[in-house]
Amino acid sequence: MWRPTFTILRKVVFPHYKETSSFSKLFYSTKSRFPRSTAKLTLISASVGVLVGAGYGGYTHYKINVKKPTQATEVEEYVLLKEAPKYQAQYRVVNDSDNSNLELVLFQYRTCPFCCKVRSYLDARGINYEVVEVDAVLRQAIRWSNYKKVPILLAKVEGGYQQLLDSTAIISMLETYLRDKSYQLSDIVKFYPATRFVNDSGKVATDITNKYFVMHNAPVLDEKQKAAEAEERQWRQWADQVLVHTLSPNVYRTVGEALETFKWFEEVGGWKQSFPAWECALMVYVGAAAMWIISKRLKSRHNIKDDVRQSLYDAANDWMKAVQKKGTPFLGGNKPNLADISVFGVLSSIEGCGAFEDLKTNTSIGKWFQDMKMNMKETSGKHLATYA
């Protein structure tokens, strides 16, 4: 009964410990129903504690970030705060050419694909912003909000601070504002109401109406412009509903890959500078164990092939066919459009993982991705650390 459970535990918590006869006897002995020594009892109790913690962490992550709500709630509503919550920004991005007049704070997980989408958009438009890194397990940095997902973008507006939700809606709202500054963000959010509906499973779900649309008062578009905007919306939706679902089964494909991925998250996210050592260890080991388990469910839910890499390659090939059909560097032509930015943001979330290296080797997406990075460097601001 214990053996499969402790095999998983050993691979995640003791990855470098070789299994010996004494190790196996300690954990897998079936001579007695109860451990006979205090040491053995202590080890088993600690191990069970770690597994329970991993299971709980995985369950809460899955419940909050994956499962759809089972009843209508008010947490998705846009909130206008009278005062800014207390926060500690890890860094801020400053662009001297920014004329947006926006004051933004992004609450994020550094390698969350949806957070990466928002950062990619802000960098592409050369907007200044601050970044607050959220602990993916405890989420203490967003306790002030009833909305427990990320990204959350907080914007200073007349009368307070506007909370903006949903990565796709955030991008559409900001793009709407940049194209027509006669509207305030607190007015623009009204164009993107949160709607509740009963999904195919009979559960109440919430979505943002119009989130793939950029609102503007431009004259009636000609047929070519209409087609371009429709294509842009189509691929933005594809990034959210197809591409993003190929990531988890690939970067958490094995226990080793899951642990490697979370260690990269720790490095690139600056966790050691932002959180105490015990919290970093909790995020790395509990997160890796939880996501390795959850990724198997996601693979089944989203009909990912048994060879999960092939599903990732297929998605990249579909995207590159659309870009190459244009005969230009990007889907948007000589400059990236919102679809380019969204796809780049999603893929940048796994840039440091083995799956991404395999993707570049087995598809033609590498050059497009590099061109996007170069384009971003021309528009994004300087990163200035703010932590001690």
Side-chain angles (χ1 to χ4, degrees):
M1 178 177 70
W2 293 94
R3 190 176 188 90
T5 302
F6 281 113
T7 298
I8 295 172
L9 174 67
R10 182 182 62 78
K11 289 181 178 179
V12 176
V13 181
F14 306 109
H16 303 300
Y17 197 105
K18 293 184 178 180
E19 185 170 332
T20 63
S21 59
S22 59
F23 184 91
S24 299
K25 184 177 180 181
L26 175 64
F27 283 102
Y28 307 141
S29 175
T30 57
K31 289 183 179 180
S32 173
R33 188 176 178 182
F34 299 99
R36 294 181 178 179
S37 68
T38 302
K40 187 173 180 180
L41 177 60
T42 301
L43 282 171
I44 290 179
S45 299
S47 301
V48 171
V50 171
L51 283 173
V52 170
Y56 179 75
Y59 170 75
T60 54
H61 183 281
Y62 176 71
K63 182 178 179 182
I64 292 173
N65 294 297
V66 179
K67 288 185 69 178
K68 294 182 178 179
T70 57
Q71 59 182 358
T73 65
E74 296 300 321
V75 299
E76 288 82 11
E77 299 294 343
Y78 303 107
V79 176
L80 180 63
L81 305 175
K82 292 183 178 180
E83 296 181 355
K86 293 182 179 179
Y87 65 87
Q88 175 60 56
Q90 273 64 47
Y91 66 91
R92 53 196 176 97
V93 179
V94 178
N95 189 330
D96 294 335
S97 301
D98 178 20
N99 60 0
S100 67
N101 298 319
L102 292 171
E103 294 184 36
L104 305 174
V105 182
L106 176 63
F107 294 80
Q108 66 160 21
Y109 304 152
R110 177 67 176 81
T111 49
C112 159
F114 302 108
C115 299
C116 290
K117 275 173 53 185
V118 174
R119 282 202 320 275
S120 295
Y121 174 80
L122 295 174
D123 290 341
R125 296 295 183 258
I127 298 173
N128 298 333
Y129 60 99
E130 290 184 285
V131 173
V132 177
E133 193 66 25
V134 178
D135 175 345
V137 177
L138 302 179
R139 298 185 295 278
Q140 295 180 9
I142 54 174
R143 282 186 174 180
W144 55 270
S145 174
N146 287 330
Y147 188 78
K148 297 305 179 185
K149 298 179 183 179
V150 291
I152 296 175
L153 190 67
L154 201 61
K156 186 176 181 180
V157 297
E158 184 177 350
Y161 295 83
Q162 180 69 60
Q163 180 177 254
L164 305 180
L165 315 172
D166 187 284
S167 62
T168 298
I170 288 171
I171 291 172
S172 293
M173 291 177 199
L174 293 179
E175 187 71 7
T176 296
Y177 170 79
L178 292 179
R179 293 188 186 185
D180 186 355
K181 293 182 182 178
S182 63
Y183 286 100
Q184 297 296 316
L185 279 175
S186 52
D187 295 322
I188 291 174
V189 296
K190 298 173 184 176
F191 301 154
Y192 301 90
T195 58
R196 293 172 178 79
F197 60 94
V198 178
N199 62 23
D200 294 338
S201 301
K203 298 178 180 179
V204 176
T206 303
D207 201 0
I208 307 296
T209 303
N210 301 325
K211 66 182 181 180
Y212 292 101
F213 286 80
V214 176
M215 310 297 180
H216 49 77
N217 291 323
V220 177
L221 303 177
D222 60 31
E223 292 304 315
K224 185 176 180 180
Q225 290 173 314
K226 287 181 181 179
E229 288 201 356
E231 181 182 51
E232 181 182 63
R233 289 193 297 271
Q234 172 194 341
W235 284 103
R236 290 178 69 193
Q237 188 170 7
W238 173 86
D240 289 347
Q241 297 182 359
V242 177
L243 179 62
V244 75
H245 294 309
T246 66
L247 303 188
S248 290
N250 275 279
V251 298
Y252 309 121
R253 183 175 58 169
T254 65
V255 172
E257 284 180 300
L259 190 56
E260 178 185 49
T261 296
F262 267 84
K263 286 184 176 179
W264 177 66
F265 290 172
E266 180 182 40
E267 178 184 351
V268 74
W271 290 358
K272 291 182 179 179
Q273 291 82 13
S274 307
F275 308 111
W278 69 267
E279 202 167 341
C280 290
L282 181 70
M283 288 191 287
V284 170
Y285 291 101
V286 172
M291 290 310 300
W292 175 70
I293 295 170
I294 292 171
S295 68
K296 309 307 176 188
R297 296 181 181 179
L298 296 179
K299 173 179 175 291
S300 175
R301 170 179 291 187
H302 299 294
N303 299 315
I304 304 299
K305 295 178 179 178
D306 289 337
D307 180 359
V308 295
R309 284 289 196 272
Q310 191 58 53
S311 289
L312 181 62
Y313 301 158
D314 289 347
N317 288 333
D318 288 343
W319 168 252
M320 289 311 301
K321 285 179 183 177
V323 174
Q324 291 164 358
K325 186 177 179 181
K326 294 286 184 179
T328 54
F330 310 108
L331 188 74
N334 291 321
K335 293 184 178 180
N337 64 10
L338 296 183
D340 287 293
I341 293 169
S342 295
V343 173
F344 174 80
V346 169
L347 289 178
S348 67
S349 70
I350 65 167
E351 188 177 2
C353 302
F356 186 74
E357 292 303 314
D358 290 345
L359 180 65
K360 291 192 296 182
T361 300
N362 291 278
T363 71
S364 61
I365 205 167
K367 185 180 185 308
W368 171 86
F369 190 86
Q370 190 60 33
D371 288 343
M372 284 293 299
K373 288 188 74 171
M374 295 301 295
N375 187 275
M376 292 288 182
K377 284 184 179 180
E378 296 176 1
T379 57
S380 63
K382 298 178 181 178
H383 287 222
L384 303 177
T386 58
Y387 48 72

